[in-house]
Amino acid sequence: MDVMTRALVARDAPGDAPQADAQPNDAATTDAGADKGGMREYSIQEMKRKFHMRASALRYYEEAGLLGDIGRTPNGQRLYTKANIDRMEAIACFKDAGMTIDEIKRFFDYEADEGEHITDMLALLKHRQHAIERQRVALEKAYHHVLRKVRYYSAVNESIVGGAPHPDWNDFEDEARP
C-alpha cells in the first residue's frame, strides 16, 4: 500500500473527533484491507467507518467476547475478516433492536449450540420482538401527535401572517390515529 493510501485508510472518518483512546496498534499503517490469500482483511479504521463507531467500541465488543477471532499483524494491529464484519452487523442489529450486551452474549452462546438451545434462542428473540412491537405502537402514537402539532402550528403561522383568527386546537383531531 502506498503512503497516500495508508494515510487515507488511517485518518478518522469525516466528523470524527480525534480519539484519545486510540492505541498505537490500532492505526492502519500496514496492508490492512489487502486481499491476503483470497481473504480480505480490514483495519480497525475501516471497521469504525463502516459501523460509524469509535475504535474503543470495537475493542469493547472484542473484550466482552462478542467479537472474537480478531487477527493481528506482526506488530499487533487488529485485522478483521468478513466473518468479523458479519458478526458486527448482527451486534449492530441487535443493539438497534434494544438488546443489552448480556442478551446479545446469551444469544451468541445459544447460537454456538443451537441444537441444545433453540428454544432459548426463540424465547430471547420473541421477547425482543414483543418489546419492539410495544415501542412501535408508542412511536406511532407520538408520531401522530407530532403531525397534529405540525398541522396546528402551521395554521397558527398562517393566521399570524394573514391576520386571521387564531385556530382552535380541537379542530385538529388526529384523523389517521391508530
Side-chain angles (χ1 to χ4, degrees):
M1 180 182 304
D2 67 340
V3 175
M4 180 58 94
T5 304
R6 234 183 268 133
L8 289 172
V9 169
R11 76 175 184 209
D12 286 332
D16 275 1
Q19 295 184 15
D21 65 345
Q23 298 173 354
N25 67 342
D26 291 332
T29 56
T30 65
D31 286 336
D35 186 352
K36 298 198 179 186
M39 192 165 92
R40 175 134 165 44
E41 294 176 316
Y42 304 83
S43 70
I44 199 166
Q45 298 298 325
E46 290 173 302
M47 290 289 285
K48 72 179 216 172
R49 278 193 293 276
K50 177 172 182 48
F51 292 101
H52 308 286
M53 63 177 49
R54 298 177 61 91
S56 59
L58 289 163
R59 289 191 299 272
Y60 171 76
Y61 291 137
E62 181 181 356
E63 290 166 15
L66 294 176
L67 192 58
D69 299 323
I70 309 298
R72 299 286 181 149
T73 66
N75 55 348
Q77 296 171 334
R78 286 171 171 81
L79 293 174
Y80 298 87
T81 64
K82 174 71 168 107
N84 299 131
I85 287 173
D86 293 344
R87 175 57 71 101
M88 193 58 228
E89 286 173 346
I91 293 167
C93 178
F94 287 148
K95 288 295 292 173
D96 287 346
M99 287 177 78
T100 65
I101 295 297
D102 286 339
E103 288 173 322
I104 297 170
K105 274 183 172 178
R106 213 167 347 141
F107 178 83
F108 289 146
D109 287 344
Y110 294 157
E111 189 179 50
D113 188 10
E114 73 180 22
E116 183 69 27
H117 294 285
I118 191 68
T119 57
D120 297 318
M121 290 172 68
L122 285 168
L124 183 62
L125 291 171
K126 286 180 181 180
H127 173 75
R128 181 54 32 207
Q129 175 189 3
H130 295 306
I132 291 169
E133 287 169 357
R134 288 188 302 274
Q135 291 171 326
R136 286 178 58 186
V137 168
L139 189 57
E140 187 73 17
K141 182 179 177 181
Y143 174 72
H144 285 287
H145 185 74
V146 168
L147 284 179
R148 182 180 182 194
K149 292 274 190 189
V150 166
R151 289 192 312 272
Y152 173 73
Y153 285 110
S154 293
V156 168
N157 183 48
E158 289 174 20
S159 74
I160 293 169
V161 171
H166 202 73
D168 183 346
W169 171 252
N170 293 320
D171 292 339
F172 294 86
E173 288 300 318
D174 296 335
E175 310 92 40
R177 190 150 192 176

